[in-house]
Each structure stands twice: as structure tokens, then as C-alpha cells.
Amino acid sequence: AMCIAPMMLAGTLQHCDLKITLGPESPMKDELRQKMGVYSVESPADQPITDERNRVVTVPCYMWDKATILNVGDGAYRLVGEMKRLMEN
């Protein structure tokens, strides 16, 4: 899931101890953990976060104000690589 889509996953997969990224340190981090059982990890715009247990990969992309199209492209490329790795295992 890219950009804001990890937040949709958080709402859908509540109480699964899901690990996602919303990019920069989120003011909603504590609320996500307490109400939804979701853990938000800070990550650069081009760096995916992989939740091995739930087999979910997220990358923040434009959740960072200063993200460029190159950051987003790199993040998408890395996200697909992680998804492929998960499917092969």
C-alpha cells in the first residue's frame, strides 16, 4: 500500500498487530495503537516497511511534504520487490 493507502489497511485490518508506515512520525501513532492495534513506523518516502507476520508492505511516498517523483518511483519499485520476496517465501 502506498501513500495514504496504509491508513485504509489500518481501518480494514484492525487488531491484527499490523505494522505500517505513514511516513513522518504521526501524531495519530498512539491512537492507532490503542484503538486499532496498528503500529506506525517512521520511514523515508522511498523506504517500504514490511510486516512479515501479516504479509503487508507499505511505503509513505507523498506523506512526506518534500517527497519527489523520484522518491515515489524508488519507493514503488522497492515495494514491488518486497511483495515479490514475500510471495516467493
Side-chain angles (χ1 to χ4, degrees):
M2 297 173 61
C3 209
I4 192 64
M7 193 63 188
M8 290 185 257
L9 280 177
T12 304
L13 301 174
Q14 293 183 30
H15 309 294
C16 292
D17 292 326
L18 186 65
K19 180 173 75 170
I20 63 169
T21 184
L22 297 175
E25 185 69 22
S26 174
M28 297 172 40
K29 185 176 182 175
D30 291 335
E31 184 177 348
L32 282 170
R33 186 168 181 206
Q34 291 171 359
K35 292 185 177 178
M36 301 171 109
V38 173
Y39 299 85
S40 177
V41 178
E42 186 170 340
S43 172
D46 59 356
Q47 186 60 51
I49 294 296
T50 303
D51 181 333
E52 299 282 342
R53 188 166 91 45
N54 291 302
R55 303 180 66 80
V56 170
V57 185
T58 58
V59 66
C61 298
Y62 285 119
M63 295 299 288
W64 284 97
D65 292 339
K66 304 227 186 263
T68 67
I69 190 69
L70 293 174
N71 298 133
V72 173
D74 288 345
Y77 183 82
R78 290 176 178 150
L79 177 130
V80 170
E82 277 295 291
M83 291 171 60
K84 286 174 62 176
R85 184 186 65 77
L86 286 175
M87 288 188 290
E88 292 169 353
N89 293 330

